[in-house]
Amino acid sequence: MYTERVAPMTKNKRPMTILVTGGCGFIGSNFVRFMLEAYPQYSIVNLDKLTYAGNLENLEDIEGNPSYQFVKGDICDRSLVGSIVRERKVNAIVNVAAESHVDRSILGPDIFVETNVGGTNVLLDVARECMIERFVQISTDEVYGSLGSTGAFAETTPLHPNSPYAASKASADLLALAYHHTFGLPVVITRCSNNYGPHQFPEKLIPLMIARALENKEVPVYGDGQNVRDWLYVGDHCRAIDLVLHKGKAGNVYNIGGNNEWKNIDIVRLVLKKLDKPESLITFVKDRPGHDRRYAIDASKISRELGWQPSISFDDGIAQTLSWYLAHESWWRRIISGEYQHYYRNMYEER
Ligand code: NAD
Ligand code: DAU
């Protein structure tokens, strides 16, 4: 067992090389861009398999940045991960890569276990071998399960994942904590609520509603539409990850949330209103199996210990998000014109 060899990293310290996995996805691409802007002295290596959710277009504006390198590959590929970490002298890993969509995990759980559990284990094991200074595991509030009409998840809330996706993420969290406990690996875990913002794949609620509404097509609301989620702008999540990476205490979990609970039906109505589309587009469809009723996050620990607060109001965040999708129609149209059509039919036709 080894103990943490360095003091927690702080801004403007020595240059570092950070391996970000899944950097071509929604949160990953926002995080890579955020880090390159905040820490021009750092090098960022982005390892991404480019699954259906990974999109090189998400980072095309920074392709020529000398501080940024992209490697196409799988986090399950131990020899690739090992050679990246050794040859590029990686100091810290931020594991953003995952299969991330609950509905897909209901259609087929295998790849969720492979990537989210197996891939995380490969990264942890290489990090241990190479004595990495920091390992940030990007997790989710879904590991806690579902709430009734009151209360909020704290870091001490027992894990009770309900979907194959959530179970795979909870397993990865437990592995990460076990590597800390057993080997002293300096692991930190973030558990965030629902993100929204630019570059989110149009399978998730908000971008799906935007794309469908802009095409004047039905917008599918699961069940009675009364399920509640807590929404956070992706840029605020990136700031929180930065703080946890640099200042989080090894072995700790940090909840991140927007203190911004919405019923799904109200979000859908809001999006339609902002796009000047009629509510008649709303179609209630068969519920998601095992659908968690309500999530709410108590983010007082990260606020108290690391000084984090959400900075973007929901009004501003939604306005920025809608403007982005309106200005980047070719981005989402390219996505929904390909294999996605098959996914959509498979997921929604029988509902
Ligand atoms: P996403 O689906 O948009 O992106 C996932 C990225 O990971 C893609 O670029 C994909 O190509 C890559 N990837 C998948 N499997 C890989 C593998 N085996 N090897 C390398 N790369 C691989 O996901 P997202 O919504 O940006 O979520 C990112 C992370 O944040 C996930 O771990 C998710 O659990 C977590 N999270 C998401 C939210 C949210 O609201 N989206 C909230 C809390 C936590
Ligand atoms: O809470 C954090 C989690 O948020 C992340 O860990 C996941 O990666 C991310 O996908 C997200 O999970 P959700 O299942 O909450 O997100 P999704 O956008 O799929 O659904 C949000 C809510 O909207 C949920 O209650 C289901 C509902 N919904 C979703 C879709 C896609 C609909 O009513 N209709 C839809 O078509």
Side-chain angles (χ1 to χ4, degrees):
M1 169 157 171
Y2 65 88
T3 47
E4 213 173 345
R5 292 167 303 149
V6 292
M9 296 175 278
T10 49
K11 262 193 178 176
N12 306 322
K13 281 274 169 78
R14 69 200 156 84
M16 306 195 55
T17 298
I18 301 178
L19 172 61
V20 178
T21 66
C24 295
F26 164 50
I27 295 170
S29 61
N30 279 284
F31 181 67
V32 166
R33 191 175 294 98
F34 173 93
M35 290 300 285
L36 287 169
E37 279 167 19
Y39 302 94
Q41 74 276 31
Y42 285 13
S43 295
I44 305 290
V45 182
N46 168 15
L47 172 64
D48 197 297
K49 185 180 169 186
L50 297 181
T51 68
Y52 77 92
N55 188 343
L56 286 173
E57 276 182 61
N58 289 349
L59 288 172
E60 65 188 0
D61 54 317
I62 54 132
E63 262 165 23
N65 187 322
S67 304
Y68 170 71
Q69 289 173 313
F70 169 66
V71 179
K72 181 171 188 276
D74 194 329
I75 58 167
C76 301
D77 182 341
R78 176 180 288 270
S79 83
L80 175 66
V81 173
S83 65
I84 292 172
V85 171
R86 274 185 281 274
E87 284 163 23
R88 295 169 209 240
K89 300 191 172 33
V90 167
N91 306 93
I93 297 177
V94 181
N95 182 25
V96 193
E99 288 294 332
S100 68
H101 195 43
V102 174
D103 292 319
R104 289 185 193 255
S105 80
I106 296 166
L107 284 181
D110 290 6
I111 188 69
F112 284 74
V113 176
E114 214 173 284
T115 288
N116 300 358
V117 187
T120 301
N121 184 53
V122 166
L123 293 168
L124 286 163
D125 212 32
V126 170
R128 176 183 68 81
E129 270 168 27
C130 298
M131 299 180 78
I132 285 286
E133 293 163 25
R134 184 62 108 195
F135 190 104
V136 185
Q137 173 64 10
I138 306 303
S139 186
T140 167
D141 61 357
E142 298 205 12
V143 298
Y144 297 120
S146 186
L147 290 165
S149 54
T150 57
F153 301 128
E155 288 83 356
T156 49
T157 301
L159 302 187
H160 197 298
N162 288 320
S163 69
Y165 161 72
S168 70
K169 294 296 291 184
S171 307
D173 285 13
L174 293 178
L175 269 173
L177 291 171
Y179 271 77
H180 172 71
H181 185 80
T182 310
F183 306 115
L185 186 70
V187 166
V188 272
I189 295 176
T190 62
R191 293 185 182 144
C192 190
S193 62
N194 287 63
N195 284 213
Y196 68 98
H199 299 283
Q200 188 167 30
F201 194 87
E203 64 189 351
K204 308 291 196 303
L205 181 71
I206 289 180
L208 181 78
M209 298 299 134
I210 297 172
R212 299 283 299 172
L214 288 175
E215 292 207 301
N216 298 307
K217 289 186 171 157
E218 291 170 347
V219 296
V221 176
Y222 297 167
D224 61 5
Q226 300 296 306
N227 301 62
V228 173
R229 297 291 182 267
D230 169 32
W231 294 94
L232 181 73
Y233 190 71
V234 64
D236 277 330
H237 188 187
C238 293
R239 276 195 309 108
I241 298 171
D242 171 17
L243 279 169
V244 171
L245 165 69
H246 288 95
K247 296 185 180 163
K249 202 160 159 257
N252 274 234
V253 174
Y254 295 89
N255 280 353
I256 304 164
N259 199 16
N260 179 39
E261 289 180 50
W262 284 75
K263 287 181 181 156
N264 292 340
I265 187 66
D266 294 333
I267 290 270
V268 173
R269 288 199 177 112
L270 178 78
V271 168
L272 292 175
K273 186 160 175 245
K274 299 257 183 205
L275 292 174
D276 205 19
K277 299 290 179 184
E279 287 196 7
S280 56
L281 289 179
I282 295 173
T283 313
F284 288 94
V285 299
K286 196 167 149 219
D287 210 351
R288 173 186 279 174
H291 197 175
D292 285 342
R293 195 61 168 170
R294 176 173 165 262
Y295 302 145
I297 275 278
D298 172 356
S300 56
K301 176 175 171 179
I302 190 170
S303 160
R304 194 174 55 247
E305 294 187 10
L306 307 184
W308 178 87
Q309 293 284 348
S311 69
I312 298 174
S313 72
F314 195 55
D315 254 14
D316 288 350
I318 277 287
Q320 286 176 35
T321 303
L322 289 168
S323 305
W324 190 86
Y325 280 88
L326 286 165
H328 294 83
E329 203 168 315
S330 59
W331 180 91
W332 58 264
R333 279 201 185 280
R334 233 187 322 278
I335 291 171
I336 66 170
S337 65
E339 167 61 23
Y340 181 90
Q341 304 243 333
H342 174 68
Y343 162 78
Y344 194 88
R345 271 196 307 277
N346 204 8
M347 184 63 72
Y348 292 94
E349 216 158 57
E350 297 297 309
R351 281 196 127 113

